[in-house]
Amino acid sequence: MNDKPDKVNIKVSWKMCMRVAITVFVVFLCMRYWGFLEEFAQLLLGGTLAIVAGLIIAYVLNIPLRFFERKLPGPTGDGTRNRALSILLTLVCAVGVILFVGILVVPNLVGAIITLAQAAPGAIAAVTDNAFLSQFIPAPLVAQIQSIDWDSVINSAASWLQSGVVSSLPQVASVFGQIGAWFMGVLLSMWFLGEKDGLSAGVHTLIATYLGKGADAKFSRIIATADGCFRGYFKGAAMESVIFGGLVMIACTLAGMPEALMLGALVGVMSLIPMMGALIGAILGAIIILATSWQRALIFLVLFFVIQQIEANVFYPNVVGKQVGLTGMWPLIGITLGVAVFGFPGAFVGVPLTATIFRVVEADLEKRGVGEAAKQAEKAQE
């Protein structure tokens, strides 16, 4: 009996040596000139920003577009003959939502800020002249506040809010350099939506030709999983936003709050921003109410926190959680990781991206038979 391990014969050829040498050289160049490569990548991404923006806008608009294509199937039954009409209806809905929020919320918010700025000198004077309250404020701070020329501050703020915003748009555009790219992205998104079937077929043809049909099938499964997670998350977030805003509107109406519809729209739209969006909307709503009554502003904040608890524990798990298949703390973990990796945009893609990874890994484990064994072990422990 031979106990010696079998020898592994590795054939070393000049071709293999050249591949290893080239790989080592390329890795060395990447490490040595990483700064230059990073700048080049940023330049390349900046040049393709319009295309990326168009793809993002097209994907978001494709969610309501599918609804209209199902309602207007056309002679072929797949919506392609009525796609122009479906795209038009989708744009009308998107513009309608933007105008509804802009006309309803922005003027009230600007007016409230101006009103609060005008009332600030009197409120500060009442606090500083009060013997009981003034003893809790440091004397240097009181002197600095009293030295402020409030009339000049108010006039400057009001002038900027009324006319300075428009006049400063060119500077904003030149500083960020992205407004034009996103505008071009809107135009490109219309083309992407109109030609989405042909573009999808072209991508599958390229993958199947150069990487093989197996790679194309795997790519199709991953894309289908990601599409289901992202589409479900966006639909769930939109439904949750409508529910949240509706509950705020109903509560404000019952409590006799001014502009209940506007407050509901503000909180509902801001709740689309994960984690802190709803709170920011509540603070802005409180500022609007504070221009008329601090008691009502306090009542509004109390109502908001009560509704937020109901929404977070009842509606969010059943609306958004079921759409993406994540429960417990996983949505929060997804948002945290998304922000850490992608910055602010990661807050919007963290949850569906985490859900996509979960489903892909779960499907692969089931394919290998590991997932089924784990489920049987769980049942045996129960």
Side-chain angles (χ1 to χ4, degrees):
M1 183 175 180
N2 187 12
D3 294 333
K4 293 182 180 180
D6 295 335
K7 293 183 179 180
V8 179
N9 295 323
I10 301 176
K11 294 182 179 180
V12 179
S13 62
W14 281 107
K15 185 180 292 186
M16 179 182 293
C17 293
M18 288 296 296
R19 288 178 178 175
V20 173
I22 293 173
T23 302
V24 172
F25 183 67
V26 170
V27 172
F28 169 76
L29 289 179
C30 291
M31 295 175 63
R32 179 66 179 82
Y33 299 100
W34 179 254
F36 171 77
L37 292 175
E38 189 176 6
E39 292 179 1
F40 178 76
Q42 291 178 352
L43 181 64
L44 186 63
L45 289 176
T48 58
L49 178 60
I51 300 175
V52 175
L55 291 172
I56 294 173
I57 296 171
Y59 183 80
V60 174
L61 292 179
N62 191 45
I63 297 174
L65 177 63
R66 292 180 181 180
F67 169 78
F68 289 115
E69 286 182 340
R70 287 194 300 269
K71 297 299 180 182
L72 303 169
T76 58
D78 59 357
T80 55
R81 293 291 297 273
N82 288 323
R83 179 157 296 166
L85 179 58
S86 299
I87 293 175
L88 179 61
L89 293 174
T90 302
L91 288 178
V92 169
C93 292
V95 173
V97 171
I98 294 173
L99 290 178
F100 173 77
V101 175
I103 295 174
L104 195 64
V105 175
V106 175
N108 288 278
L109 183 60
V110 172
I113 293 174
I114 294 175
T115 302
L116 287 174
Q118 292 173 344
I124 293 175
V127 173
T128 54
D129 293 341
N130 188 288
F132 176 75
L133 295 176
S134 61
Q135 63 181 342
F136 298 102
I137 306 175
L141 181 60
V142 174
Q144 187 175 4
I145 292 174
Q146 291 176 343
S147 65
I148 297 175
D149 185 2
W150 289 104
D151 292 334
S152 177
V153 172
I154 293 169
N155 292 332
S156 300
S159 176
W160 184 84
L161 286 171
Q162 292 174 358
S163 60
V165 175
V166 178
S167 63
S168 63
L169 285 179
Q171 287 78 10
V172 172
S174 62
V175 169
F176 293 100
Q178 297 180 354
I179 296 178
W182 279 94
F183 177 76
M184 182 61 67
V186 173
L187 300 180
L188 288 174
S189 68
M190 298 298 101
W191 180 72
F192 290 146
L193 290 174
E195 301 293 333
K196 61 180 183 178
D197 295 328
L199 293 173
S200 176
V203 170
H204 285 292
T205 300
L206 289 175
I207 295 175
T209 303
Y210 294 101
L211 299 179
K213 293 183 178 180
D216 180 55
K218 190 173 183 179
F219 173 77
S220 299
R221 288 195 299 269
I222 294 175
I223 289 299
T225 302
D227 177 61
C229 292
F230 276 84
R231 183 159 42 89
Y233 175 75
F234 290 143
K235 287 171 62 177
M239 291 172 58
E240 188 262 346
S241 173
V242 172
I243 294 172
F244 199 175
L247 291 175
V248 171
M249 183 192 67
I250 293 172
C252 291
T253 302
L254 295 176
M257 294 286 175
E259 302 292 344
L261 179 61
M262 180 270 299
L263 293 172
L266 174 62
V267 173
V269 172
M270 294 302 295
S271 66
L272 291 172
I273 302 175
M275 296 182 68
M276 299 298 293
L279 180 60
I280 295 173
I283 294 174
L284 295 176
I287 291 174
I288 295 174
I289 302 174
L290 191 62
T292 57
S293 171
W294 68 268
Q295 293 93 339
R296 287 183 172 179
L298 182 60
I299 294 173
F300 169 74
L301 289 176
V302 172
L303 290 174
F304 167 78
F305 285 114
V306 172
I307 295 172
Q308 187 184 41
Q309 292 301 314
I310 297 173
E311 180 270 341
N313 293 284
V314 177
F315 292 104
Y316 189 88
N318 293 295
V319 176
V320 180
K322 287 185 177 179
Q323 291 285 347
V324 297
L326 293 179
T327 57
M329 295 297 291
W330 283 112
L332 180 60
I333 294 174
I335 294 173
T336 304
L337 294 177
V339 172
V341 177
F342 301 106
F344 179 72
F348 298 92
V349 301
V351 174
L353 191 59
T354 303
T356 301
I357 295 173
F358 261 69
R359 293 188 181 182
V360 170
V361 173
E362 185 180 13
D364 185 67
L365 290 176
E366 288 184 357
K367 183 179 179 181
R368 297 170 184 266
V370 179
E372 190 63 30
K375 290 180 181 178
Q376 292 177 359
E378 264 183 44
K379 290 181 179 179
Q381 290 179 357
E382 293 176 357

